[in-house]
mmCIF file of all heavy atoms in Angstrom:
data_model
loop_
_atom_site.group_PDB
_atom_site.id
_atom_site.type_symbol
_atom_site.label_atom_id
_atom_site.label_comp_id
_atom_site.label_asym_id
_atom_site.label_seq_id
_atom_site.Cartn_x
_atom_site.Cartn_y
_atom_site.Cartn_z
ATOM 1 N N ALA A 1 12.990 37.724 -75.014
ATOM 2 C CA ALA A 1 13.534 38.994 -75.556
ATOM 3 C C ALA A 1 14.160 38.822 -76.937
ATOM 4 O O ALA A 1 13.896 39.633 -77.896
ATOM 5 C CB ALA A 1 14.581 39.562 -74.541
ATOM 6 N N TRP A 2 15.042 37.802 -77.128
ATOM 7 C CA TRP A 2 15.663 37.619 -78.409
ATOM 8 C C TRP A 2 14.665 37.249 -79.461
ATOM 9 O O TRP A 2 14.721 37.742 -80.610
ATOM 10 C CB TRP A 2 16.749 36.546 -78.287
ATOM 11 C CG TRP A 2 17.798 36.621 -79.358
ATOM 12 C CD1 TRP A 2 17.611 36.650 -80.717
ATOM 13 C CD2 TRP A 2 19.239 36.600 -79.165
ATOM 14 N NE1 TRP A 2 18.813 36.637 -81.387
ATOM 15 C CE2 TRP A 2 19.823 36.647 -80.506
ATOM 16 C CE3 TRP A 2 20.076 36.531 -78.107
ATOM 17 C CZ2 TRP A 2 21.213 36.625 -80.707
ATOM 18 C CZ3 TRP A 2 21.459 36.548 -78.283
ATOM 19 C CH2 TRP A 2 21.969 36.599 -79.570
ATOM 20 N N SER A 3 13.746 36.326 -79.115
ATOM 21 C CA SER A 3 12.674 35.977 -80.116
ATOM 22 C C SER A 3 11.895 37.157 -80.596
ATOM 23 O O SER A 3 11.577 37.285 -81.756
ATOM 24 C CB SER A 3 11.738 34.974 -79.433
ATOM 25 O OG SER A 3 12.327 33.719 -79.142
ATOM 26 N N MET A 4 11.593 38.080 -79.672
ATOM 27 C CA MET A 4 10.783 39.245 -80.100
ATOM 28 C C MET A 4 11.597 40.243 -80.921
ATOM 29 O O MET A 4 11.031 40.790 -81.836
ATOM 30 C CB MET A 4 10.208 39.959 -78.848
ATOM 31 C CG MET A 4 9.162 39.126 -78.134
ATOM 32 S SD MET A 4 7.875 38.477 -79.270
ATOM 33 C CE MET A 4 8.362 36.765 -79.465
ATOM 34 N N THR A 5 12.861 40.443 -80.628
ATOM 35 C CA THR A 5 13.629 41.400 -81.491
ATOM 36 C C THR A 5 13.717 40.887 -82.884
ATOM 37 O O THR A 5 13.592 41.662 -83.840
ATOM 38 C CB THR A 5 15.053 41.624 -80.866
ATOM 39 O OG1 THR A 5 15.796 40.392 -80.817
ATOM 40 C CG2 THR A 5 14.999 42.291 -79.514
ATOM 41 N N VAL A 6 13.925 39.535 -83.089
ATOM 42 C CA VAL A 6 14.015 39.047 -84.449
ATOM 43 C C VAL A 6 12.628 39.085 -85.170
ATOM 44 O O VAL A 6 12.536 39.503 -86.313
ATOM 45 C CB VAL A 6 14.642 37.626 -84.494
ATOM 46 C CG1 VAL A 6 13.714 36.598 -83.916
ATOM 47 C CG2 VAL A 6 15.064 37.255 -85.906
ATOM 48 N N ASN A 7 11.558 38.724 -84.447
ATOM 49 C CA ASN A 7 10.256 38.715 -85.047
ATOM 50 C C ASN A 7 9.812 40.190 -85.396
ATOM 51 O O ASN A 7 9.224 40.449 -86.463
ATOM 52 C CB ASN A 7 9.231 38.112 -84.115
ATOM 53 C CG ASN A 7 9.190 36.601 -84.293
ATOM 54 O OD1 ASN A 7 8.994 36.054 -85.406
ATOM 55 N ND2 ASN A 7 9.407 35.905 -83.190
ATOM 56 N N MET A 8 10.135 41.141 -84.562
ATOM 57 C CA MET A 8 9.741 42.503 -84.843
ATOM 58 C C MET A 8 10.545 43.063 -86.019
ATOM 59 O O MET A 8 9.978 43.844 -86.818
ATOM 60 C CB MET A 8 9.992 43.349 -83.537
ATOM 61 C CG MET A 8 9.023 43.006 -82.424
ATOM 62 S SD MET A 8 9.380 43.800 -80.811
ATOM 63 C CE MET A 8 8.489 45.326 -81.016
ATOM 64 N N LYS A 9 11.809 42.690 -86.137
ATOM 65 C CA LYS A 9 12.544 43.169 -87.317
ATOM 66 C C LYS A 9 12.007 42.570 -88.632
ATOM 67 O O LYS A 9 11.868 43.223 -89.631
ATOM 68 C CB LYS A 9 14.038 42.736 -87.198
ATOM 69 C CG LYS A 9 14.832 43.560 -86.158
ATOM 70 C CD LYS A 9 16.287 43.174 -86.204
ATOM 71 C CE LYS A 9 17.082 43.963 -85.181
ATOM 72 N NZ LYS A 9 16.764 43.528 -83.790
ATOM 73 N N ILE A 10 11.591 41.271 -88.597
ATOM 74 C CA ILE A 10 10.950 40.631 -89.726
ATOM 75 C C ILE A 10 9.622 41.351 -90.070
ATOM 76 O O ILE A 10 9.280 41.562 -91.226
ATOM 77 C CB ILE A 10 10.806 39.166 -89.531
ATOM 78 C CG1 ILE A 10 12.174 38.490 -89.522
ATOM 79 C CG2 ILE A 10 9.961 38.580 -90.624
ATOM 80 C CD1 ILE A 10 12.150 37.036 -89.115
ATOM 81 N N ASP A 11 8.873 41.708 -89.014
ATOM 82 C CA ASP A 11 7.594 42.437 -89.229
ATOM 83 C C ASP A 11 7.807 43.753 -89.986
ATOM 84 O O ASP A 11 7.019 44.146 -90.806
ATOM 85 C CB ASP A 11 6.926 42.739 -87.877
ATOM 86 C CG ASP A 11 6.416 41.519 -87.214
ATOM 87 O OD1 ASP A 11 6.300 40.457 -87.822
ATOM 88 O OD2 ASP A 11 6.164 41.578 -85.968
ATOM 89 N N LEU A 12 8.937 44.406 -89.643
ATOM 90 C CA LEU A 12 9.200 45.724 -90.237
ATOM 91 C C LEU A 12 9.798 45.623 -91.658
ATOM 92 O O LEU A 12 9.745 46.625 -92.398
ATOM 93 C CB LEU A 12 10.183 46.477 -89.386
ATOM 94 C CG LEU A 12 9.757 46.876 -87.967
ATOM 95 C CD1 LEU A 12 10.900 47.527 -87.197
ATOM 96 C CD2 LEU A 12 8.564 47.868 -88.003
ATOM 97 N N SER A 13 10.312 44.465 -92.054
ATOM 98 C CA SER A 13 11.071 44.316 -93.268
ATOM 99 C C SER A 13 10.241 43.742 -94.447
ATOM 100 O O SER A 13 9.265 43.034 -94.225
ATOM 101 C CB SER A 13 12.226 43.362 -93.010
ATOM 102 O OG SER A 13 13.016 43.835 -91.994
ATOM 103 N N LYS A 14 10.655 44.108 -95.609
ATOM 104 C CA LYS A 14 10.079 43.537 -96.807
ATOM 105 C C LYS A 14 10.566 42.048 -96.991
ATOM 106 O O LYS A 14 11.587 41.669 -96.320
ATOM 107 C CB LYS A 14 10.453 44.308 -98.073
ATOM 108 C CG LYS A 14 9.952 45.726 -98.106
ATOM 109 C CD LYS A 14 10.370 46.464 -99.298
ATOM 110 C CE LYS A 14 9.835 47.905 -99.323
ATOM 111 N NZ LYS A 14 10.396 48.694 -100.502
ATOM 112 N N ALA A 15 9.908 41.299 -97.760
ATOM 113 C CA ALA A 15 10.286 39.854 -97.923
ATOM 114 C C ALA A 15 11.726 39.656 -98.369
ATOM 115 O O ALA A 15 12.420 38.760 -97.914
ATOM 116 C CB ALA A 15 9.330 39.180 -98.897
ATOM 117 N N ASP A 16 12.214 40.516 -99.281
ATOM 118 C CA ASP A 16 13.587 40.379 -99.800
ATOM 119 C C ASP A 16 14.612 41.055 -98.841
ATOM 120 O O ASP A 16 15.799 41.197 -99.255
ATOM 121 C CB ASP A 16 13.710 40.863 -101.203
ATOM 122 C CG ASP A 16 13.373 42.351 -101.357
ATOM 123 O OD1 ASP A 16 12.973 42.965 -100.365
ATOM 124 O OD2 ASP A 16 13.479 42.828 -102.492
ATOM 125 N N GLN A 17 14.206 41.479 -97.685
ATOM 126 C CA GLN A 17 15.127 42.093 -96.718
ATOM 127 C C GLN A 17 15.271 41.212 -95.428
ATOM 128 O O GLN A 17 15.936 41.627 -94.532
ATOM 129 C CB GLN A 17 14.610 43.503 -96.296
ATOM 130 C CG GLN A 17 14.601 44.488 -97.446
ATOM 131 C CD GLN A 17 13.922 45.823 -96.979
ATOM 132 O OE1 GLN A 17 13.053 45.868 -96.094
ATOM 133 N NE2 GLN A 17 14.429 46.905 -97.576
ATOM 134 N N ARG A 18 14.592 40.097 -95.434
ATOM 135 C CA ARG A 18 14.559 39.285 -94.195
ATOM 136 C C ARG A 18 15.947 38.741 -93.755
ATOM 137 O O ARG A 18 16.284 38.745 -92.566
ATOM 138 C CB ARG A 18 13.576 38.137 -94.294
ATOM 139 C CG ARG A 18 12.155 38.658 -94.356
ATOM 140 C CD ARG A 18 11.200 37.532 -94.706
ATOM 141 N NE ARG A 18 9.828 38.042 -94.815
ATOM 142 C CZ ARG A 18 8.809 37.406 -95.449
ATOM 143 N NH1 ARG A 18 9.046 36.201 -95.957
ATOM 144 N NH2 ARG A 18 7.611 37.900 -95.525
ATOM 145 N N GLY A 19 16.709 38.333 -94.735
ATOM 146 C CA GLY A 19 18.092 37.868 -94.426
ATOM 147 C C GLY A 19 18.896 38.968 -93.810
ATOM 148 O O GLY A 19 19.630 38.775 -92.864
ATOM 149 N N THR A 20 18.766 40.173 -94.366
ATOM 150 C CA THR A 20 19.478 41.335 -93.907
ATOM 151 C C THR A 20 19.016 41.659 -92.458
ATOM 152 O O THR A 20 19.840 41.922 -91.579
ATOM 153 C CB THR A 20 19.237 42.566 -94.792
ATOM 154 O OG1 THR A 20 19.702 42.216 -96.112
ATOM 155 C CG2 THR A 20 20.004 43.741 -94.288
ATOM 156 N N ALA A 21 17.693 41.623 -92.267
ATOM 157 C CA ALA A 21 17.116 41.933 -90.966
ATOM 158 C C ALA A 21 17.570 40.964 -89.914
ATOM 159 O O ALA A 21 18.014 41.394 -88.845
ATOM 160 C CB ALA A 21 15.572 41.956 -91.061
ATOM 161 N N VAL A 22 17.538 39.697 -90.164
ATOM 162 C CA VAL A 22 17.958 38.716 -89.249
ATOM 163 C C VAL A 22 19.447 38.779 -88.991
ATOM 164 O O VAL A 22 19.938 38.637 -87.848
ATOM 165 C CB VAL A 22 17.513 37.236 -89.678
ATOM 166 C CG1 VAL A 22 18.037 36.269 -88.651
ATOM 167 C CG2 VAL A 22 15.989 37.202 -89.771
ATOM 168 N N GLY A 23 20.219 39.010 -90.116
ATOM 169 C CA GLY A 23 21.626 39.202 -89.943
ATOM 170 C C GLY A 23 22.035 40.306 -89.006
ATOM 171 O O GLY A 23 22.932 40.103 -88.191
ATOM 172 N N LEU A 24 21.373 41.416 -89.139
ATOM 173 C CA LEU A 24 21.669 42.548 -88.234
ATOM 174 C C LEU A 24 21.274 42.231 -86.784
ATOM 175 O O LEU A 24 21.978 42.609 -85.871
ATOM 176 C CB LEU A 24 20.940 43.786 -88.748
ATOM 177 C CG LEU A 24 21.502 44.458 -90.001
ATOM 178 C CD1 LEU A 24 20.553 45.493 -90.584
ATOM 179 C CD2 LEU A 24 22.847 45.138 -89.672
ATOM 180 N N ASN A 25 20.157 41.565 -86.649
ATOM 181 C CA ASN A 25 19.713 41.179 -85.326
ATOM 182 C C ASN A 25 20.737 40.258 -84.648
ATOM 183 O O ASN A 25 21.145 40.464 -83.499
ATOM 184 C CB ASN A 25 18.343 40.429 -85.395
ATOM 185 C CG ASN A 25 17.733 40.253 -83.992
ATOM 186 O OD1 ASN A 25 17.241 41.159 -83.377
ATOM 187 N ND2 ASN A 25 17.825 38.972 -83.547
ATOM 188 N N GLU A 26 21.178 39.200 -85.405
ATOM 189 C CA GLU A 26 22.103 38.291 -84.820
ATOM 190 C C GLU A 26 23.522 38.861 -84.616
ATOM 191 O O GLU A 26 24.260 38.542 -83.705
ATOM 192 C CB GLU A 26 22.125 37.002 -85.655
ATOM 193 C CG GLU A 26 20.752 36.368 -85.865
ATOM 194 C CD GLU A 26 20.109 35.996 -84.617
ATOM 195 O OE1 GLU A 26 20.552 35.072 -83.900
ATOM 196 O OE2 GLU A 26 19.080 36.606 -84.246
ATOM 197 N N PHE A 27 23.875 39.741 -85.557
ATOM 198 C CA PHE A 27 25.130 40.515 -85.429
ATOM 199 C C PHE A 27 25.153 41.273 -84.101
ATOM 200 O O PHE A 27 26.156 41.147 -83.356
ATOM 201 C CB PHE A 27 25.334 41.475 -86.574
ATOM 202 C CG PHE A 27 26.257 42.626 -86.298
ATOM 203 C CD1 PHE A 27 27.622 42.398 -86.213
ATOM 204 C CD2 PHE A 27 25.767 43.867 -86.042
ATOM 205 C CE1 PHE A 27 28.512 43.494 -85.910
ATOM 206 C CE2 PHE A 27 26.634 44.954 -85.714
ATOM 207 C CZ PHE A 27 27.991 44.725 -85.657
ATOM 208 N N ALA A 28 24.091 41.948 -83.837
ATOM 209 C CA ALA A 28 24.054 42.753 -82.587
ATOM 210 C C ALA A 28 24.080 41.791 -81.383
ATOM 211 O O ALA A 28 24.838 42.047 -80.392
ATOM 212 C CB ALA A 28 22.794 43.591 -82.558
ATOM 213 N N GLY A 29 23.270 40.733 -81.377
ATOM 214 C CA GLY A 29 23.206 39.848 -80.213
ATOM 215 C C GLY A 29 24.538 39.164 -79.965
ATOM 216 O O GLY A 29 25.001 39.107 -78.796
ATOM 217 N N TYR A 30 25.176 38.669 -80.982
ATOM 218 C CA TYR A 30 26.410 37.926 -80.745
ATOM 219 C C TYR A 30 27.636 38.817 -80.563
ATOM 220 O O TYR A 30 28.642 38.412 -79.991
ATOM 221 C CB TYR A 30 26.590 36.897 -81.818
ATOM 222 C CG TYR A 30 25.706 35.679 -81.527
ATOM 223 C CD1 TYR A 30 24.455 35.626 -82.164
ATOM 224 C CD2 TYR A 30 26.042 34.762 -80.596
ATOM 225 C CE1 TYR A 30 23.577 34.609 -81.828
ATOM 226 C CE2 TYR A 30 25.159 33.720 -80.255
ATOM 227 C CZ TYR A 30 23.932 33.673 -80.851
ATOM 228 O OH TYR A 30 23.062 32.655 -80.520
ATOM 229 N N SER A 31 27.503 40.065 -81.051
ATOM 230 C CA SER A 31 28.506 41.049 -80.674
ATOM 231 C C SER A 31 28.460 41.303 -79.184
ATOM 232 O O SER A 31 29.495 41.477 -78.503
ATOM 233 C CB SER A 31 28.264 42.358 -81.442
ATOM 234 O OG SER A 31 28.477 42.176 -82.791
ATOM 235 N N GLY A 32 27.244 41.366 -78.638
ATOM 236 C CA GLY A 32 27.055 41.510 -77.205
ATOM 237 C C GLY A 32 27.635 40.338 -76.435
ATOM 238 O O GLY A 32 28.321 40.527 -75.425
ATOM 239 N N VAL A 33 27.439 39.144 -76.977
ATOM 240 C CA VAL A 33 27.970 37.930 -76.358
ATOM 241 C C VAL A 33 29.539 38.073 -76.340
ATOM 242 O O VAL A 33 30.151 37.814 -75.338
ATOM 243 C CB VAL A 33 27.558 36.674 -77.121
ATOM 244 C CG1 VAL A 33 28.321 35.445 -76.573
ATOM 245 C CG2 VAL A 33 26.030 36.494 -76.975
ATOM 246 N N ALA A 34 30.108 38.394 -77.447
ATOM 247 C CA ALA A 34 31.534 38.467 -77.616
ATOM 248 C C ALA A 34 32.204 39.513 -76.703
ATOM 249 O O ALA A 34 33.181 39.207 -75.956
ATOM 250 C CB ALA A 34 31.936 38.744 -79.058
ATOM 251 N N VAL A 35 31.639 40.694 -76.772
ATOM 252 C CA VAL A 35 32.209 41.823 -75.977
ATOM 253 C C VAL A 35 32.162 41.503 -74.427
ATOM 254 O O VAL A 35 33.183 41.638 -73.719
ATOM 255 C CB VAL A 35 31.495 43.129 -76.225
ATOM 256 C CG1 VAL A 35 31.889 44.191 -75.218
ATOM 257 C CG2 VAL A 35 31.765 43.587 -77.690
ATOM 258 N N LEU A 36 31.035 41.007 -74.005
ATOM 259 C CA LEU A 36 30.898 40.702 -72.563
ATOM 260 C C LEU A 36 31.667 39.451 -72.139
ATOM 261 O O LEU A 36 32.092 39.312 -70.980
ATOM 262 C CB LEU A 36 29.475 40.643 -72.162
ATOM 263 C CG LEU A 36 28.898 41.942 -71.615
ATOM 264 C CD1 LEU A 36 29.573 42.387 -70.283
ATOM 265 C CD2 LEU A 36 28.989 43.083 -72.641
ATOM 266 N N ALA A 37 31.852 38.503 -73.070
ATOM 267 C CA ALA A 37 32.676 37.322 -72.770
ATOM 268 C C ALA A 37 34.150 37.760 -72.481
ATOM 269 O O ALA A 37 34.787 37.328 -71.527
ATOM 270 C CB ALA A 37 32.682 36.334 -73.941
ATOM 271 N N ALA A 38 34.621 38.712 -73.321
ATOM 272 C CA ALA A 38 35.972 39.222 -73.154
ATOM 273 C C ALA A 38 36.054 40.118 -71.881
ATOM 274 O O ALA A 38 36.974 40.009 -71.085
ATOM 275 C CB ALA A 38 36.399 40.038 -74.340
ATOM 276 N N VAL A 39 35.057 40.979 -71.714
ATOM 277 C CA VAL A 39 35.069 41.907 -70.544
ATOM 278 C C VAL A 39 34.982 41.112 -69.264
ATOM 279 O O VAL A 39 35.708 41.385 -68.286
ATOM 280 C CB VAL A 39 33.899 42.896 -70.692
ATOM 281 C CG1 VAL A 39 33.732 43.691 -69.364
ATOM 282 C CG2 VAL A 39 34.189 43.869 -71.801
ATOM 283 N N SER A 40 34.048 40.115 -69.196
ATOM 284 C CA SER A 40 33.895 39.342 -67.957
ATOM 285 C C SER A 40 35.173 38.545 -67.674
ATOM 286 O O SER A 40 35.542 38.371 -66.512
ATOM 287 C CB SER A 40 32.681 38.404 -68.066
ATOM 288 O OG SER A 40 32.857 37.458 -69.062
ATOM 289 N N GLY A 41 35.835 38.018 -68.694
ATOM 290 C CA GLY A 41 37.117 37.321 -68.474
ATOM 291 C C GLY A 41 38.170 38.249 -67.896
ATOM 292 O O GLY A 41 38.879 37.831 -66.977
ATOM 293 N N TYR A 42 38.235 39.471 -68.431
ATOM 294 C CA TYR A 42 39.176 40.433 -67.900
ATOM 295 C C TYR A 42 38.869 40.824 -66.458
ATOM 296 O O TYR A 42 39.749 40.858 -65.575
ATOM 297 C CB TYR A 42 39.217 41.670 -68.772
ATOM 298 C CG TYR A 42 40.019 42.781 -68.230
ATOM 299 C CD1 TYR A 42 41.445 42.783 -68.264
ATOM 300 C CD2 TYR A 42 39.424 43.893 -67.572
ATOM 301 C CE1 TYR A 42 42.201 43.818 -67.744
ATOM 302 C CE2 TYR A 42 40.172 44.929 -67.050
ATOM 303 C CZ TYR A 42 41.554 44.864 -67.145
ATOM 304 O OH TYR A 42 42.310 45.906 -66.556
ATOM 305 N N VAL A 43 37.571 41.121 -66.231
ATOM 306 C CA VAL A 43 37.152 41.523 -64.835
ATOM 307 C C VAL A 43 37.413 40.385 -63.861
ATOM 308 O O VAL A 43 37.893 40.594 -62.749
ATOM 309 C CB VAL A 43 35.715 41.971 -64.837
ATOM 310 C CG1 VAL A 43 35.148 42.140 -63.438
ATOM 311 C CG2 VAL A 43 35.464 43.203 -65.658
#
């Protein structure tokens, strides 16, 4: 799943937008990691 979201974003992006595309992908993924790490700890 994670491999495909990053590859699909790169497919959609121009060459000089790839850093931005991957950055947004990883921002979303690791925001999910962070939020649920805190939530699961609280629960």
Side-chain angles (χ1 to χ4, degrees):
W2 199 311
S3 293
M4 290 311 101
T5 58
V6 70
N7 277 303
M8 292 171 87
K9 286 185 183 70
I10 290 172
D11 291 344
L12 296 174
S13 304
K14 295 177 181 177
D16 60 356
Q17 297 175 329
R18 288 171 186 162
T20 302
V22 177
L24 286 166
N25 189 75
E26 304 303 293
F27 157 73
Y30 284 95
S31 295
V33 173
V35 170
L36 266 296
V39 169
S40 64
Y42 172 76
V43 172

